């Protein structure tokens, strides 16, 4: 069974998105200190030949985004499954918050997340936007773009209250503290080495029709949800799971006449499940295959409804991730949810079962005939019944979730 990189994302699953041309990854290279601004330019419309009144300026139409290249500031590996392209300034609160969130996600996923930065300064609105952009460019000439950017984000409250002349003194002192050549950075600010570049970046943004910062694209799609840590973290986690996903369900590979048992090993204890291949062969086969591929190892029980059920099987912990394939429903009239401990595929509609599974903590007869039951708990149900309530939307970033360390499958002939 081969793994397939799928174009699944949190944005495509949870919200409506705006499309954009693909961001093609390119080999890593050290960004140059002086760069020609990328001009996005308007698409003109033809004015009437005999206007009765002076025509209004044409509304700019954004052109396809320039591909990510060595002229961009890039943090993270080129082969990361998740790329966030952010057009931002430094002084607006929205940009500061978005960059702070992006840095937090980058720290948590250094091998799976790539951050790409492009300037979108609001020069008339903020008195130090151009200076801050010039400072990070000057730092970039010394291979210090990201440390300087991170410091401006982290110490935002310190410098945004300063007048421009005091900010310049402050940022030069900051450069010294970051191990940069403070005198060289001071000279770059004094002679305006990057002033024209920042002005051109502002003018290009106005001409292109980009709204005020931040403007973000996640894997080529406009990131329309608020750039909170939970939203961006979920998006990255789901792309990581998509990169692990399979192209199709595994071929049926069960031993006829054998009994199958699966043990969920948690820190809290062990939960033993008797699988039911005669009632749901495809579901049991899929569960056994995924367990043997370590799909469930280290994953959270991401949903706990006390006196209801628990749900697991999503490595992202968001409740939206899956193994990349769906199984046909296998409804056996002899198996019902009239007792606790029933193990079934999670479902959002007919034939949508995959890797996510649930275990009932009490009778849930309303589910009868709607979900594939493929096992029953024969030991350790009280462990699950003792877990605290958990919701993947509200509690995804909170510690304390029960974790399935390993799933051990035993076949008894």
């Amino acid at each position: 069974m081969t793994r397939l990189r799928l174009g699944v994302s949190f944005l495509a699953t949870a919200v409506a998105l705006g499309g954009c041309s693909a961001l093609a990854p390119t080999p890593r290279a050290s960004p140059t200190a002086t760069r020609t601004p990328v001009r996005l330019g308007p698409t003109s419309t033809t004015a009437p030949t005999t206007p009765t009144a002076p025509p209004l300026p044409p509304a700019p139409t954004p052109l396809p985004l320039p591909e990510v290249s060595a002229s961009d500031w890039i943090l993270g590996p080129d082969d990361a499954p998740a790329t966030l392209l952010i057009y931002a300034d430094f002084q607006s609160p929205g940009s500061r918050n978005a960059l702070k969130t992006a840095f937090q996600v980058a720290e948590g996923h250094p091998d799976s997340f790539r951050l790409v930065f492009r300037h979108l300064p609001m020069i008339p609105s903020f008195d130090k936007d151009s200076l801050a952009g010039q400072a990070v460019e000057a730092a970039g000439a010394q291979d210090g773009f990201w440390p300087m950017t991170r410091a401006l984000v982290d110490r935002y409250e310190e410098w945004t209250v300063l007048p421009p002349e005091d900010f310049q003194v402050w940022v030069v002192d900051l450069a010294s503290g970051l191990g940069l050549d403070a005198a060289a950075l001071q000279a770059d600010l004094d002679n305006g080495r990057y002033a024209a570049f920042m002005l051109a970046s502002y003018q290009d943004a106005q001409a292109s029709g980009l709204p005020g910062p931040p403007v973000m694209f996640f894997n080529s799609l406009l990131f329309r949800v608020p750039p909170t840590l939970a939203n961006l973290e979920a998006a990255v986690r789901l792309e990581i799971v998509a990169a692990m996903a399979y192209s199709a369900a595994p071929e049926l590979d069960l031993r006829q006449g054998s009994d199958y048992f699966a043990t969920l090993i948690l820190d809290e204890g062990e939960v033993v499940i008797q699988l039911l291949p005669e009632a749901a062969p495809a579901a049991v086969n899929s569960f056994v295959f995924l367990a043997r591929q370590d799909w469930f190892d280290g994953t959270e029980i991401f949903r706990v409804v006390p006196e209801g059920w628990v749900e697991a099987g999503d490595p992202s912990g968001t409740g939206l991730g899956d193994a990349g394939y769906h199984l046909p429903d296998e409804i056996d009239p002899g198996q019902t949810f009239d007792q606790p401990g029933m193990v079934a595929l999670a479902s959002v509609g007919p034939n949508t079962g995959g890797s996510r599974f649930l275990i009932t903590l009490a009778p849930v007869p309303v589910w009868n005939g709607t979900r594939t039951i493929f096992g029953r708990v024969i030991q350790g149900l009280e462990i699950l019944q003792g877990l605290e309530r958990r919701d993947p939307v509200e509690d995804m970033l909170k510690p304390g979730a029960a974790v399935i360390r390993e799933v051990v499958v035993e076949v008894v002939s």
Side-chain angles (χ1 to χ4, degrees), residues 62-117:
L63 300 178
L65 293 179
E67 294 181 351
V68 175
S69 70
S71 67
D72 289 306
W73 296 111
I74 301 173
L75 178 67
D78 290 329
D79 61 353
T83 291
L84 181 71
L85 168 61
I86 179 168
Y87 286 82
D89 71 327
F90 293 97
Q91 198 171 350
S92 70
S95 288
R96 185 267 182 140
N97 292 337
L99 286 168
K100 182 178 181 179
T101 298
F103 281 129
Q104 289 176 288
V105 173
E107 289 176 354
H109 303 281
D111 299 324
S112 304
F113 178 68
R114 181 174 67 154
L115 175 62
V116 181
F117 178 91

Side-chain angles (χ1 to χ4, degrees), residues 17-24 40 62-67 85 87 118 210 215-224:
L17 297 176
C20 178
S21 62
L23 306 176
L40 301 181
L63 300 178
L65 293 179
E67 294 181 351
L85 168 61
Y87 286 82
R118 291 176 182 169
L210 286 174
V215 181
M216 293 173 289
F217 296 87
F218 185 85
N219 281 4
S220 307
L221 298 175
L222 185 63
F223 198 85
R224 292 186 180 275

Side-chain angles (χ1 to χ4, degrees), residues 296-321:
F296 304 113
D297 292 4
T299 63
E300 298 175 348
I301 296 179
F302 58 83
R303 190 188 311 276
V304 179
V305 180
E307 301 182 5
W309 68 93
V310 300
E311 191 172 347
D314 170 14
S316 78
T318 66
L320 298 172

Side-chain angles (χ1 to χ4, degrees), residues 339-356:
Q339 59 182 322
M342 303 309 294
V343 185
L345 295 180
S347 173
V348 294
N351 305 313
T352 58
S355 67
R356 298 195 303 273

Side-chain angles (χ1 to χ4, degrees), residues 8-73:
V8 179
S9 74
F10 169 67
L11 305 179
T13 306
V15 297
L17 297 176
C20 178
S21 62
L23 306 176
T26 57
R28 292 284 301 278
S30 298
T32 56
T34 303
R35 294 169 287 160
T36 301
V38 176
R39 295 189 176 276
L40 301 181
T43 298
S44 299
T45 57
T46 304
T49 55
T50 56
T52 58
L56 294 174
T61 301
L63 300 178
L65 293 179
E67 294 181 351
V68 175
S69 70
S71 67
D72 289 306
W73 296 111

Side-chain angles (χ1 to χ4, degrees), residues 35 73 88-91 117 119-121 128-140 145 148-149 152 159 167 171 189 194-195 197-198:
R35 294 169 287 160
W73 296 111
D89 71 327
F90 293 97
Q91 198 171 350
F117 178 91
H119 289 280
L120 183 55
K128 295 177 286 295
D129 233 359
S130 177
L131 274 175
Q134 293 176 57
V136 297
E137 287 293 322
F145 177 88
M148 176 63 78
T149 296
L152 289 178
W159 64 269
F167 167 72
V171 79
L189 294 180
Y194 300 102
F197 170 72
M198 294 306 299

Side-chain angles (χ1 to χ4, degrees), residues 302-304 317-319 390-397:
F302 58 83
R303 190 188 311 276
V304 179
T318 66
R390 188 173 184 85
D391 181 274
V393 174
E394 299 175 359
D395 304 322
M396 182 184 65
L397 300 178

Side-chain angles (χ1 to χ4, degrees), residues 236-274:
V236 172
R237 290 189 189 186
L238 284 164
E239 288 302 322
I240 293 173
V241 172
M244 299 163 51
Y246 297 89
S247 58
E251 296 290 334
L252 197 63
D253 186 28
L254 298 176
R255 295 184 192 175
Q256 294 295 324
S258 296
D259 295 324
Y260 282 77
F261 300 88
T263 300
L264 312 184
I265 301 176
L266 288 71
D267 292 338
E268 294 80 0
E270 296 184 355
V271 178
V272 181
I273 300 170
Q274 179 183 6

